[in-house]
Amino acid sequence: MISTAANKSAGNLKRLRKDPFLALGSAAMILLTCFFVVWPIIKVVSYSRLADYRKLFTYSSWYHAALNSLFITALSTISCTLIAFLFAYAVTRAHVPFRRLFASVALLPIVSPPFIVALSYILLFGGQGIISKYVLHVHFDIYGWHGLWLVQTMTFFPYAYAVIHGVMASISPQLENAAYNLGATHWQVFRHVFLPLCRPGLAGGALIAAMNVLADFGNPIIIAGNFHVLPTEAYMQMSGMFDLNSASVLSTALLLPAIALFVWNRAWIGKRSYVTVTGKESNARTFPLPAAARWTVFAACLLVTALVVSVYGVLFYGAFTKTWGFDWSFTLKNVHYIFAKGREMANSLKFALLSSIAAAVFSLPLAFIVQRKGTRLYRLLDVLAILPGAVPGIFLGLGFAVAFNEKPFLLTGTPLIMILALMFWNLPTCYSVNLAGLAQISGTLEEASLNLGANRLRTFRRILLPLLRGPFIAGVTVSFLRSVTCLSVVIFIYSAKTSVGTVSILGLVQNGQWGSASALTAALILMAFAVLAPTRLLLKKQGRSIQL
Amino acid sequence: MAANEPMIEITNVSKRFGDFEAIKNISLSVPAGSFTTLLGPSGCGKTTLMKLIAGFFEPDRGDIFIEGRRMNGLPAFKRNTPLVFQDYALFPHMTVQENIAYGLKLQKLPRKTAEDKITAMVDMFGLHGLRDRLPRALSGGQQQRVAFARALVMGSNVILMDEPLSNLDAKMRVEVRDELRQLQQRLGFTAVFVTHDQDEALSISDQVAVFDQGRIVQVGTPREIYKKPASRFAADFVGAANFAEGVVKAIEGDDLVIACGNGIMRVHRDGYAFGPGERVTLVIRPENIAVHESASRGDNAWSGHLLRSSFHGRSVRYWVAADGRDWIVDDAGPGSIAGLQGLVHMSVDKRAVHLLPAAGGTVTIESGTGAIA
Ligand SMILES: Nc1ncnc2c1ncn2[C@@H]1O[C@H](COP(=O)(O)OP(=O)(O)O)[C@@H](O)[C@H]1O
Ligand SMILES: [Mg+2]
């Protein structure tokens, strides 16, 4: 055993010596990711002394923030998973009308800023809410855990849906048909065949939802009121009193369960890609459900769809309304506001574009080294590349704020720190897309190219690069969407000059300027769609689809 | 180069992957202009040997020479050993034309020359009208022709082919292999061909190398391989065979007299160096055994009980229990004796029995079912 291990590492070394390009490349990659990912994490975790961490158990507000985080995560995870299951079931199995509509509704929230549901929720049910004040004539306090619960459910069920739908779609209906054929009833088939087959999807979907809810900052800061969770509590400590010490303790408390969920997810679900080559879907049809069950599923999906649609509708309506709750007349003043915030919007666009391209470019050689040169050293690269995915955005932002705040690495307040933070935040996304793309390119293509006389560089340029175009574009697109709508990563590192759209919106919401907030949000959504629509088309031509 | 000089010379080559030795001390000489086939079951190392020749792997030990030049250490892209891949490995983002031109472009030929070469290939493989198609818009057979064209256009003296026919349907496989053989003879290149299909290997090759678990167990012409297999494995893998253990009793004239089961077999000496008292394994191909309803006189005749039969169109296969074992018999003249049953009689020509040294001296009774490729 020992001798083989020694042999192997000797082999690795020999390989590296023979291929200095590879050796230098890997070393540079490792150094850069350590510097921009590991270093900030270490800085935050080590910022506070052990005694400070003890306060987590003694300060009641911190203690409660931690408990609240876990509570709302558990609760929202359950509801997200249920709704996601329902949607996936309706789309893949139930043969209800409007299946395409349901499928796209489940996609909508993903291309939106994180707090849009919270904002719409205020517009719908708040003190001046269209439903609460004008339809129901009631006044209820929407700020608190139940509001947050609803909002988190609406915001994050699509993430669970993507996973569950993927698994459900891959289960051949023939299995269910076989069970029917053997005399099982609908309920028995569902219970004993379908549900067990869905279990990995349910588990994966639940974990994805849990990770997102736990790390979310945008919704709780707007809707949770006095119900503090770890990310908002950390933010309060920073923005209110510049208490970096407390902020780092709270963020670290958030990091631990986040990493636990992440590792759990990796162990269970493995490296799910965001882009899949659309395979042949099984064209076997399932046995139709009993009408009652079918229409129940349909009604439930319709209700959720109505909610999602009203979230967007009310937002766009708000964008053209003078004063929400008082003066409903049409106005363009909010649209003017978009131009007033032109610099922030331009920053959003610029940083998102640069960081996502940078992430995609950076992850390309990374994925190549890991996928094609599978030796031990490259496992380290793999872990480094996905590590940012385990770190909550708020933590990463804080990490950058702390780590690059002093010479010689003084980046505070610069556009560069915004771009770098977003870039490394997006690294796992681009990396997994490229990795999956490479895995789909048979190694014999490279061999064929070498065999025909092309050297390694030419083979990389002429064969691999063109074939990776699809994953590359998909990676850039997904990263762009995430960046344009990102609040948590940037909230600790923006400056007056580098502020972005999402930060402006947060300010407007906190001031009660909902009309302007709606207009800015709508503009961000349009910006996202302007990028998403053409790339989806482009990728569709290549037989690929984007999964977010 | 002299005609008898080998095009490819492999000497004592070994290759391991971690703890697993995929190629075990292989030596093989591929004559110039020959069609040499590596034949063996899947996983025995055929592809690995091809990759060693093409330079995708380096041997751990041993040398590979092509046209007298030592190849060790030479990167794949400098070897000029075009390979036709089993999955074709056509570049999916390039058209048929671009695929074929890919290697030529790197040779920096004048444009006109390159253009002519490509057109010649397009003509040869009937790819007119497909030039601007992407590989995914081609049928399996068309893709395969593009793969051949892409390799042949390089104009190399050596062409390597790794199971190029295995993705075609059975009928087409036979057609293409005949065309391939004709093409190779016409153009005169040296072909190294990999297959796990014994029919294919026998019908197409000048020389066959039989592989077993990383070793070459026999090299010879198709006739030699089939008629005089060097081992039980080779006999069993290349076609079906009956095996029977026996002891040489005497040498009478040109014949070895062998006690086998309850009877006596006479086998033509034919260069076998066995002497009296030695244990041997008799290898008899099923088609060399004749079955009759009535007892036949003469040597090498025995009877048994017909167990079952299966109809194969051009022949009928019988399973006959005799002498405590099952014999496989292929009768190529079915119809005349369609109603064969019960007691049957068998006989074999003395020149149609092949002898191997007995394995371990034990009398094992077994019948080969042949290679199912
Ligand atoms: N790159 C590799 N790494 C590890 N094992 C390999 C590799 N390539 C082939 N092998 C192993 O070597 C053996 C021979 O493989 P191969 O040459 O592909 O067989 P064949 O082409 O005869 O079917 C197999 O057991 C296979 O698993
Ligand atoms: Mg093979």
Side-chain angles (χ1 to χ4, degrees):
Chain A
M1 267 323 282
I2 293 170
S3 77
T4 36
N7 274 349
K8 263 186 194 149
S9 45
N12 288 351
L13 280 181
K14 216 165 82 189
R15 198 124 141 223
L16 287 182
R17 207 173 313 132
K18 242 172 51 185
D19 206 342
F21 201 63
L22 180 67
L24 280 178
S26 338
M29 294 276 160
I30 290 174
L31 275 179
L32 279 171
T33 30
C34 280
F35 186 59
F36 286 109
V37 180
V38 180
W39 171 240
I41 295 177
I42 293 175
K43 279 298 258 188
V44 173
V45 173
S46 65
Y47 195 88
S48 318
R49 280 162 302 128
L50 217 55
D52 297 319
Y53 283 105
R54 216 166 291 145
K55 289 188 205 153
L56 269 175
F57 301 97
T58 52
Y59 272 29
S60 99
S61 62
W62 291 13
Y63 177 69
H64 277 113
L67 277 186
N68 288 346
S69 267
L70 296 182
F71 170 72
I72 200 71
T73 303
L75 209 57
S76 313
T77 300
I78 294 171
S79 50
C80 282
T81 312
L82 274 176
I83 294 185
F85 181 83
L86 209 64
F87 261 69
Y89 192 73
V91 169
T92 59
R93 289 297 195 274
H95 300 297
V96 293
F98 302 147
R99 270 174 295 159
R100 275 178 166 275
L101 173 71
F102 293 155
S104 38
V105 156
L107 183 78
L108 258 185
I110 293 183
V111 296
S112 317
F115 40 74
I116 170 178
V117 182
L119 175 55
S120 297
Y121 186 65
I122 295 175
L123 298 181
L124 286 169
F125 299 107
Q128 310 301 330
I130 221 170
I131 293 183
S132 47
K133 191 172 174 187
Y134 293 93
V135 180
L136 300 176
H137 303 289
V138 290
H139 182 87
F140 44 121
D141 186 14
I142 54 165
Y143 300 96
W145 69 265
H146 34 280
L148 184 60
W149 180 27
L150 181 81
V151 166
Q152 295 296 48
T153 305
M154 296 300 290
T155 306
F156 293 114
F157 89 86
Y159 293 80
Y161 166 84
V163 177
I164 296 174
H165 175 263
V167 170
M168 251 188 220
S170 70
I171 301 171
S172 166
Q174 294 294 23
L175 295 175
E176 290 144 72
N177 290 343
Y180 287 122
N181 181 254
L182 294 170
T185 64
H186 281 290
W187 173 245
Q188 285 168 332
V189 171
F190 182 80
R191 182 77 191 71
H192 300 301
V193 178
F194 188 66
L195 217 49
L197 288 170
C198 284
R199 208 171 287 151
L202 288 173
L207 279 171
I208 294 281
M211 281 159 63
N212 279 291
V213 174
L214 179 70
D216 187 42
F217 168 72
N219 284 331
I221 194 76
I222 290 180
I223 205 81
N226 288 325
F227 181 83
H228 291 180
V229 289
L230 284 172
T232 51
E233 187 67 29
Y235 172 70
M236 307 284 188
Q237 298 295 335
M238 265 302 263
S239 73
M241 33 212 129
F242 282 104
D243 185 352
L244 210 58
N245 199 10
S246 303
S248 65
V249 169
L250 289 162
S251 308
T252 305
L254 179 65
L255 182 68
L256 290 179
I259 289 203
L261 284 174
F262 184 80
V263 170
W264 194 1
N265 182 48
R266 294 281 293 186
W268 266 14
I269 314 303
K271 308 171 184 185
R272 245 184 69 81
S273 154
Y274 294 82
V275 178
T276 46
V277 169
T278 35
K280 250 185 283 170
E281 298 234 329
S282 167
N283 48 16
R285 278 181 62 107
T286 37
F287 210 61
L289 279 186
R294 205 163 73 196
W295 295 115
T296 311
V297 169
F298 179 66
C301 288
L302 211 57
L303 182 71
V304 177
T305 303
L307 264 175
V308 172
V309 169
S310 58
V311 160
Y312 284 83
V314 80
L315 196 81
F316 278 86
Y317 186 45
F320 296 102
T321 301
K322 227 168 215 163
T323 312
W324 192 263
F326 298 102
D327 184 352
W328 298 100
S329 50
F330 177 85
T331 178
L332 285 179
K333 114 182 150 232
N334 295 322
V335 179
H336 292 311
Y337 200 80
I338 298 173
F339 296 102
K341 289 282 175 187
R343 183 166 74 190
E344 282 79 0
M345 295 305 273
N347 278 344
S348 275
L349 187 66
K350 203 164 62 190
F351 296 158
L353 211 57
L354 288 175
S355 64
S356 50
I357 291 174
V361 169
F362 186 74
S363 65
L364 202 62
L366 208 63
F368 177 73
I369 293 173
V370 172
Q371 218 280 326
R372 288 297 202 250
K373 315 270 172 188
T375 62
R376 287 195 182 180
L377 182 59
Y378 307 115
R379 291 237 182 102
L380 174 65
L381 271 176
D382 185 51
V383 170
L384 285 176
I386 58 164
L387 185 59
V391 181
I394 198 103
F395 186 102
L396 192 67
L398 187 65
F400 266 68
V402 178
F404 306 111
N405 194 22
E406 54 208 4
K407 283 183 180 164
F409 307 119
L410 182 63
L411 294 173
T412 312
T414 60
L416 190 60
I417 195 173
M418 301 283 279
I419 295 169
L420 282 171
L422 288 171
M423 166 184 164
F424 280 93
W425 185 57
N426 280 318
L427 185 62
T429 307
C430 291
Y431 169 76
S432 8
V433 174
N434 283 330
L435 200 65
L438 267 171
Q440 283 171 357
I441 302 173
S442 156
T444 57
L445 288 183
E446 281 158 271
E447 287 181 350
S449 169
L450 292 170
N451 182 253
L452 293 167
N455 61 24
R456 280 173 203 290
L457 192 63
R458 197 183 166 88
T459 299
F460 186 76
R461 248 185 34 224
R462 296 291 308 276
I463 307 299
L464 283 183
L465 276 190
L467 288 174
L468 281 174
R469 201 177 298 149
F472 187 88
I473 294 173
V476 171
T477 310
V478 175
S479 302
F480 177 83
L481 296 178
R482 294 180 79 216
S483 305
V484 144
T485 59
C486 176
L487 179 62
S488 57
V489 174
V490 297
I491 195 75
F492 287 140
I493 52 175
Y494 76 91
S495 66
K497 272 193 196 133
T498 62
S499 182
V500 290
T502 48
V503 174
S504 308
I505 298 171
L506 180 64
L508 292 169
V509 174
Q510 283 172 333
N511 284 340
Q513 289 173 263
W514 295 315
S516 311
S518 303
L520 275 188
T521 307
L524 279 186
I525 295 174
L526 290 180
M527 204 191 267
F529 267 107
V531 169
L532 184 62
T535 44
R536 262 169 84 95
L537 212 68
L538 203 75
L539 289 174
K540 202 166 181 179
K541 269 195 202 153
Q542 301 191 358
R544 291 169 191 276
S545 63
I546 295 190
Q547 271 178 21
L548 302 120
Chain B
M1 173 165 49
N4 55 356
E5 203 171 293
M7 175 61 78
I8 302 175
E9 183 78 48
I10 296 165
T11 52
N12 306 104
V13 164
S14 299
K15 173 75 191 169
R16 41 169 69 248
F17 298 112
D19 294 337
F20 176 74
E21 194 164 25
I23 297 287
K24 297 167 186 152
N25 196 27
I26 277 185
S27 295
L28 177 69
S29 175
V30 177
S34 75
F35 200 111
T36 295
T37 296
L38 314 180
L39 172 68
S42 128
C44 68
K46 307 177 300 282
T47 297
T48 306
L49 186 62
M50 285 298 235
K51 290 191 171 183
L52 285 165
I53 298 173
F56 303 135
F57 296 145
E58 278 298 317
D60 296 327
R61 259 175 293 124
D63 300 309
I64 295 172
F65 298 90
I66 298 180
E67 297 185 272
R69 260 180 81 205
R70 189 163 174 271
M71 288 288 127
N72 301 43
L74 196 67
F77 57 89
K78 290 189 181 155
R79 292 201 184 186
N80 198 15
T81 48
L83 172 60
V84 180
F85 289 78
Q86 178 168 7
D87 62 357
Y88 311 143
L90 299 180
F91 305 126
H93 57 305
M94 297 183 191
T95 61
V96 168
Q97 163 100 10
E98 286 164 344
N99 262 286
I100 299 175
Y102 187 81
L104 273 191
K105 265 195 196 140
L106 298 157
Q107 293 183 349
K108 304 234 173 347
L109 298 172
R111 244 192 72 180
K112 179 85 179 67
T113 323
E115 205 35 61
D116 288 348
K117 285 191 177 201
I118 293 169
T119 307
M121 284 300 138
V122 167
D123 287 342
M124 190 185 301
F125 289 96
L127 296 170
H128 295 282
L130 303 178
R131 288 185 127 176
D132 297 322
R133 291 230 197 134
L134 288 176
R136 64 164 167 269
L138 300 178
S139 71
Q142 289 166 338
Q143 289 182 13
Q144 200 242 16
R145 275 162 22 219
V146 178
F148 274 125
R150 190 178 70 178
L152 280 179
V153 79
M154 302 293 288
S156 166
N157 292 329
V158 180
I159 302 283
L160 310 176
M161 293 171 266
D162 190 358
E163 310 211 23
L165 309 183
S166 62
N167 287 331
L168 302 178
D169 61 56
K171 196 164 173 350
M172 196 144 154
R173 203 149 59 211
V174 175
E175 278 169 29
V176 175
R177 82 179 181 210
D178 293 339
E179 282 171 31
L180 181 61
R181 174 59 162 160
Q182 286 170 25
L183 191 72
Q184 182 262 339
Q185 286 177 328
R186 183 150 49 86
L187 301 180
F189 57 85
T190 307
V192 183
F193 182 89
V194 166
T195 184
H196 61 247
D197 180 335
Q198 44 118 355
D199 262 352
E200 207 164 277
L202 296 181
S203 63
I204 207 172
S205 322
D206 297 313
Q207 172 177 276
V208 177
V210 183
F211 267 66
D212 181 25
Q213 294 175 21
R215 289 199 176 80
I216 292 183
V217 294
Q218 188 173 10
V219 182
T221 64
R223 267 165 213 285
E224 284 164 356
I225 299 282
Y226 191 76
K227 301 220 154 162
K228 307 272 179 211
S231 67
R232 227 177 143 117
F233 171 83
D236 207 14
F237 188 73
V238 184
N242 294 290
F243 298 101
E245 304 300 325
V247 181
V248 180
K249 285 290 170 200
I251 302 176
E252 289 178 6
D254 274 346
D255 297 345
L256 292 166
V257 180
I258 297 169
C260 175
N262 299 327
I264 289 289
M265 284 280 200
R266 284 177 173 277
V267 177
H268 195 270
R269 273 170 73 186
D270 218 7
Y272 294 116
F274 297 109
E278 273 187 83
R279 293 177 162 276
V280 292
T281 300
L282 292 80
V283 182
I284 310 175
R285 297 285 181 198
E287 67 274 18
N288 290 330
I289 301 178
V291 275
H292 329 270
E293 268 173 308
S294 50
S296 56
R297 281 171 310 258
D299 298 327
N300 297 353
W302 69 109
S303 356
H305 195 81
L306 181 65
L307 296 174
R308 60 204 161 89
S309 64
S310 72
F311 181 65
H312 292 254
R314 57 191 159 136
S315 67
V316 175
R317 173 161 289 190
Y318 297 107
W319 283 265
V320 185
D323 245 4
R325 78 194 64 145
D326 291 354
W327 296 84
I328 307 174
V329 179
D330 283 346
D331 186 356
S336 55
I337 42 170
L340 209 60
Q341 54 177 305
L343 187 70
V344 293
H345 307 276
M346 296 172 282
S347 63
V348 64
D349 187 88
K350 65 181 181 183
R351 287 177 185 276
V353 181
H354 174 56
L355 295 180
L356 290 173
T362 51
V363 183
T364 49
I365 298 155
E366 192 183 307
S367 56
T369 47
I372 292 133

